[in-house]
Amino acid sequence: MNQLNFDINFFVDNIWQKKPIVIKKGIRNFNDPISPEELAGLAMESDVASRVVVTKGDDWEIVHGPFEDYETFGEQGWQLLVQAANHWHEASTNFTEAFRFLPDWRFDDLMVSFAAVNGGVGPHIDNYDVFIIQGSGKRHWKVGNKGKHKPRHNDPQSALVEDFTPIIDETLEPGDILYIPPGFPHSGTTLENSMSYSLGYRAPSQQELFNDLADFLMDNELGKQRYESTIKATGKGAVGRSEQVDLMQLISDFVNTPENHQAALGTLLSKNRFELDISPDDSIEAEDIISSINDGCDFTRIGGLKVLCLEQDCQRRLFVDGESYSFNQTSEEILAYLSDHLVLENDWLKEQVKDNELLDFLTQMFQLGYVYVQE
Ligand code: SIN
Ligand code: CO
């Protein structure tokens, strides 16, 4: 497995969310987890989100996948990008494991790209943190400072920005890592046909949180308490200041109660933005789980599935892909193990499977297609 070759604590304390940085040989002896051919194959699938960006002089044109072939793009000046490759390709899933020093709920997806010489997506700004890891090949990257950057060609619809003065101007080679926090403009161009790996991190905005919380309330018939007041009108057309405060208090009372916000947060943070590679099978029964364990199998979680537990949760439960699973007797240690481990090893399973509640949970996970037995 590719291992990180930098001081993680220093990175988290001093760099993360603060400033862009190039970490030369951030992964030593880098091995590409996926080949360009495999990537091209993934982008032929309709469930997989992919696009090709074609360099057109000073502009960039996007073609959305799935693709039937790549010949039209020629030898140079294009880049294929595949979102959530970790959902569809096992070695790519394993590649993300080294970055779990940041919690799973923050992680969005692994985007893998193949760039032909002169390929790139153009100068742009992301509103998420990204690690861009250079695989085989070489790409030249420029990163500018935060600030006011004009949309390209003065087109407010453009996702691109005008050229900027770089504060980082470097060529990345296999195993080099470029980390960019939100808001810093960046642009990469390709010197030698390249594979690169972008791990993106989510940071919900107030808008998104409000929206998701509202959905959660509707789905669960919650938040129906109404405003009550005995206050005399301050003026015929006036909304009194204390009434304004009391109205907002209705919201903060709701969200500040752990019973309410924990269920909502667990639900919304465990949902995935990209499709998961699931094959549900209702016919699986607890007996089948027991025989797989007796046969010595490990159980593997599908790529990208979020299995979250909330610290100091008011209930004993796990949140898996937007659903909550409650437990009565299963210990918190077991729940923590389930949320930490992408692979449940056979020795552990043999030890724990006496717990019927755990067996039921695993059976449900298999039925939903979230867990499978590795061949
Ligand atoms: C790229 O690899 O050029 C796109 C990745 C990014 O800018 O986040
Ligand atoms: Co970017």
Side-chain angles (χ1 to χ4, degrees):
M1 191 169 88
N2 287 308
Q3 284 192 341
L4 301 184
N5 177 37
F6 60 90
D7 184 339
I8 286 169
N9 291 327
F10 180 85
F11 176 85
V12 172
D13 291 344
N14 301 289
I15 311 289
W16 170 248
Q17 298 253 275
K18 294 189 181 75
K19 54 184 176 197
I21 190 178
V22 170
I23 309 172
K24 294 297 279 179
K25 295 276 166 267
I27 298 176
R28 232 187 259 133
N29 306 321
F30 185 86
N31 287 311
D32 281 291
I34 183 167
S35 67
E37 293 73 23
E38 283 175 295
L39 190 70
L42 279 185
M44 290 176 163
E45 308 278 341
S46 56
D47 291 336
V48 178
S50 64
R51 64 193 189 279
V52 164
V53 180
V54 184
T55 310
K56 293 260 160 105
D58 195 24
D59 233 326
W60 287 264
E61 195 179 283
I62 301 178
V63 187
H64 288 281
F67 298 97
E68 280 174 16
D69 69 76
Y70 300 87
E71 272 172 28
T72 45
F73 301 119
E75 296 284 310
Q76 288 202 9
W78 60 278
Q79 180 172 356
L80 166 68
L81 303 103
V82 175
Q83 295 291 159
N86 57 313
H87 293 199
W88 306 97
H89 184 264
E90 203 178 320
S92 299
T93 311
N94 296 338
F95 174 73
T96 62
E97 172 82 27
F99 289 84
R100 288 180 79 208
F101 65 90
L102 296 162
D104 289 351
W105 78 263
R106 292 295 308 271
F107 179 53
D108 209 357
D109 75 316
L110 171 71
M111 182 185 78
V112 182
S113 83
F114 167 79
V117 171
N118 286 333
V121 302
H124 65 279
I125 297 178
D126 296 316
N127 52 18
Y128 50 81
D129 300 76
V130 63
F131 292 98
I132 299 173
I133 298 123
Q134 178 68 34
S136 53
K138 273 188 198 166
R139 299 186 79 202
H140 187 95
W141 282 93
K142 288 184 182 173
V143 182
N145 218 335
K146 260 185 167 167
K148 279 216 172 302
H149 292 275
K150 288 203 190 109
R152 205 159 184 87
H153 309 310
N154 265 329
D155 171 5
Q157 302 302 327
S158 175
L160 302 178
V161 293
E162 286 293 356
D163 292 343
F164 49 82
T165 310
I167 53 171
I168 288 180
D169 191 345
E170 286 215 42
T171 296
L172 297 194
E173 294 176 315
D176 293 346
I177 300 177
L178 170 60
Y179 163 73
I180 312 171
F184 290 82
H186 53 280
S187 172
T189 189
T190 310
L191 308 179
E192 287 174 9
N193 286 359
S194 281
M195 293 294 286
S196 39
Y197 304 86
S198 302
L199 287 104
Y201 289 80
R202 60 157 88 169
S205 65
Q206 288 168 318
Q207 256 184 23
E208 287 162 358
L209 282 174
F210 270 118
N211 196 39
D212 288 349
L213 283 168
D215 283 349
F216 178 82
L217 296 190
M218 302 291 227
D219 291 349
N220 295 283
E221 299 271 327
L222 290 168
K224 294 201 165 178
Q225 192 185 323
R226 284 193 180 271
Y227 174 72
E228 287 173 14
S229 154
T230 51
I231 297 170
K232 217 167 114 248
T234 45
K236 285 185 181 157
V239 182
R241 184 64 199 130
S242 66
E243 293 168 305
Q244 297 167 35
V245 170
D246 287 352
L247 281 164
M248 287 301 108
Q249 190 65 37
L250 208 55
I251 295 182
S252 55
D253 283 349
F254 185 86
V255 294
N256 287 330
T257 309
E259 281 75 9
N260 297 327
H261 70 233
Q262 287 183 325
L265 287 178
T267 304
L268 65 99
L269 298 177
S270 64
K271 268 190 202 141
N272 217 298
R273 207 158 69 78
F274 295 96
E275 200 147 329
L276 294 164
D277 182 14
I278 44 173
S279 319
D281 181 354
D282 283 348
S283 69
I284 296 176
E285 290 178 6
E287 296 304 309
D288 303 314
I289 308 300
I290 295 172
S291 29
S292 297
I293 296 174
N294 290 340
D295 290 347
C297 298
D298 294 338
F299 294 170
T300 304
R301 194 196 285 182
I302 56 162
L305 185 75
K306 289 185 204 295
V307 179
L308 303 183
C309 56
L310 265 58
E311 193 174 11
Q312 293 178 19
D313 198 345
C314 59
Q315 283 185 37
R316 197 173 293 182
R317 60 190 159 184
L318 287 174
F319 294 90
V320 185
D321 195 30
E323 293 294 330
S324 119
Y325 295 84
S326 296
F327 296 82
N328 292 313
Q329 70 259 27
T330 308
S331 70
E332 280 175 17
E333 288 70 34
I334 291 181
L335 299 193
Y337 187 96
L338 290 167
S339 75
D340 276 358
H341 288 75
L342 303 185
V343 177
L344 306 176
E345 284 181 6
N346 190 258
D347 287 347
W348 184 86
L349 287 166
K350 278 206 174 102
E351 185 62 32
Q352 305 302 342
V353 79
K354 298 152 209 147
D355 173 353
N356 273 335
E357 201 173 50
L358 175 63
L359 183 61
D360 280 352
F361 172 74
L362 290 174
T363 310
Q364 283 184 72
M365 293 296 102
F366 268 89
Q367 289 173 345
L368 289 162
Y370 288 161
V371 173
Y372 61 97
V373 166
Q374 208 144 19
E375 298 299 328

